[in-house]
Amino acid sequence: MQTKMWIPENPSDPKDASIQEAARLLNHQEVVAFPTETVYGLGADATNEKAVSGIFEAKGRPSDNPLIVHVSNREQVDLMVNHIPDVAYSLMEAFWPGPLTLIMESNGAAASNVTAGLSTIGIRMPNHPLALALLEATGKPLAAPSANRSGRPSPTKAGHVKQDLDGRVAGILDGGTTGVGLESTVLDCTSDVPVILRPGGITKEQLEEVLPHVAIDPALAGSESDKPKSPGMKYTHYAPESPLWLVEGEDDFFIEQLEQLKRDGQRVGVIASHELAGKLDHAPVIRCGSRDQLSEVAVKLYDALREFKRSEVDIILTEAFSEKGVGAAVMNRLRKAAVQVVSED
Ligand code: TXA
Ligand code: MG
């Protein structure tokens, strides 16, 4: 399959020629990648099972992992859920369009492979002009997971999508670098107290400004063990080419780990804040922003994970960041991406 690349002239206009062409392909059961404010998504008509199966095929995604449905208006939500809980109304009001996926009871209108057989469905309205224009032009809700090969870091640039999916998808709409850099927060609204299933672009602190109570899925807390993980155990999410080690501790501890690996003859790539990078006498180092600006770290993280090539580095060392605000999402992704967590205590 030849993958088309488009840079729309009028990215917010549903009538733009390349957006129209992408919409036409989507309406013919093809899959097309497009930017959202979080990461690039791989879209297909959410009401068409054959179209949706193209997403799983292109990504190599396990069929039991449900997809998020993207909408450009509230009517499209009504079409797919039994009822909208009050709490979900308040959240749509406060955070849509934006990086918040709401899990509600499905009414079965979406193709069955979108929900992977679950009785619930995840829906969000992306806050990106090109995504909204494409949704308008297509006139359908679009199922869209992140547009990476399964297991790889999510794409924050059209070039990342091309690296992973060239020849496997009908087209890629290029809207430049995405703004948030990490995926949406996934919030289960089917219980009395909403539960964060995946931390993301909307922080727990932001949700708490609107909701009296927000819970966190215990499975997330469970992954916070500071014990070293066995190599390979978690080498399945957001994985860079070379194994990633997450170092938790003071800067001096990080420097000790780095020096030890170098003495062992390892070629080490480093992902660090400006603050830590400034103390290192080492290359290559990717600086991904300031410790005090975790939103900057979020924007750069996936690009950094893709930057180091297996032919150039044996191990990637990253520092651990604060879990405040969007830091919770940054650390969730780093823990999943890391094959080893090295802690000072
Ligand atoms: O920011 C995002 O959310 C991006 C952009 C493209 O919108 N999409 C994205 O999709 O990250 P994906 O497929 O990579 O991640 C979707 C997550 C998965 O962890 C999936 O298990 C969960 O949402 N999910 C989807 N539907 C669900 C449901 N009904 N119940 C529980 N979890 C669900
Ligand atoms: Mg993903």
Side-chain angles (χ1 to χ4, degrees):
M1 178 189 304
Q2 172 96 28
T3 299
K4 296 200 166 166
M5 295 282 287
W6 305 278
I7 302 178
E9 255 173 58
N10 302 298
S12 54
D13 182 0
K15 296 206 167 59
D16 176 272
S18 39
I19 295 176
Q20 281 288 319
E21 194 185 350
R24 194 181 54 76
L25 288 167
L26 287 164
N27 279 316
H28 282 83
Q29 287 103 57
E30 299 283 353
V31 296
V32 170
F34 61 94
T36 78
E37 80 280 33
T38 57
V39 300
Y40 275 73
L42 186 59
D45 175 355
T47 62
N48 186 294
E49 186 154 348
K50 179 167 170 282
V52 171
S53 70
I55 292 178
F56 286 92
E57 226 165 273
K59 281 190 58 121
R61 182 176 175 108
S63 59
D64 62 355
N65 195 359
L67 307 178
I68 293 171
V69 175
H70 296 67
V71 298
S72 57
N73 57 62
R74 299 264 187 100
E75 290 70 43
Q76 290 177 325
V77 181
D78 293 329
L79 289 177
M80 286 182 296
V81 301
N82 278 331
H83 85 114
I84 300 179
D86 288 345
V87 68
Y89 270 116
S90 324
L91 291 164
M92 289 179 197
E93 208 51 59
F95 299 113
W96 278 15
L100 179 65
T101 296
L102 302 174
I103 307 285
M104 295 177 269
E105 297 291 344
S106 164
N107 66 7
S112 61
N113 46 355
V114 167
T115 54
L118 297 178
S119 61
T120 56
I121 185 165
I123 307 179
R124 83 178 190 98
M125 190 185 291
N127 187 15
H128 192 291
L130 181 38
L132 292 170
L134 179 66
L135 283 159
E136 283 296 325
T138 311
K140 305 246 175 66
L142 294 175
S146 49
N148 49 282
R149 289 279 286 174
S150 210
R152 297 269 295 141
S154 300
T156 54
K157 298 175 174 173
H160 296 161
V161 182
K162 195 166 155 56
Q163 275 173 13
D164 278 17
L165 298 174
D166 197 19
R168 307 180 67 90
V169 301
I172 302 169
L173 278 164
D174 186 343
T177 303
T178 60
V180 178
L182 296 176
E183 299 86 343
S184 63
T185 301
V186 177
L187 188 72
D188 184 355
C189 297
T190 61
S191 51
D192 288 343
V193 175
V195 185
I196 296 175
L197 302 183
R198 177 179 73 181
I202 298 292
T203 64
K204 182 166 188 277
E205 292 85 341
Q206 284 174 292
L207 293 172
E208 281 166 346
E209 286 173 20
V210 175
L211 302 173
H213 304 287
V214 188
I216 298 182
D217 182 3
L220 293 176
S223 67
E224 282 190 16
S225 155
D226 57 2
K227 301 237 162 54
K229 310 271 188 296
S230 7
M233 276 284 286
K234 306 190 105 193
Y235 204 32
T236 50
H237 279 88
Y238 316 108
E241 286 190 13
S242 303
L244 177 75
W245 288 22
L246 172 64
V247 181
E248 297 183 326
E250 299 296 319
D251 289 350
D252 286 348
F253 180 70
F254 187 101
I255 292 165
E256 271 168 38
Q257 301 305 308
L258 174 60
E259 293 307 324
Q260 183 61 49
L261 285 167
K262 285 162 76 172
R263 279 196 294 277
D264 293 345
Q266 302 284 342
R267 296 169 304 166
V268 186
V270 169
I271 297 175
S273 61
H274 292 313
E275 290 85 350
L276 174 59
K279 297 183 186 174
L280 300 178
D281 178 20
H282 177 79
V285 176
I286 295 178
R287 292 173 180 241
C288 61
S290 165
R291 276 173 189 164
D292 304 326
Q293 281 294 327
L294 291 170
S295 55
E296 208 181 314
V297 178
V299 169
K300 298 202 173 125
L301 184 66
Y302 286 141
D303 192 40
L305 289 177
R306 279 176 181 266
E307 196 66 21
F308 290 119
K309 302 299 168 205
R310 202 193 305 267
S311 56
E312 290 157 16
V313 304
D314 302 310
I315 291 180
I316 306 168
L317 275 195
T318 180
E319 79 177 275
F321 295 90
S322 150
E323 310 231 7
K324 288 216 185 78
V326 78
V330 169
M331 286 304 293
N332 169 266
R333 305 308 189 269
L334 283 178
R335 289 214 168 85
K336 282 187 188 292
V339 296
Q340 182 111 347
V341 180
V342 190
S343 293
E344 190 160 12
D345 41 41

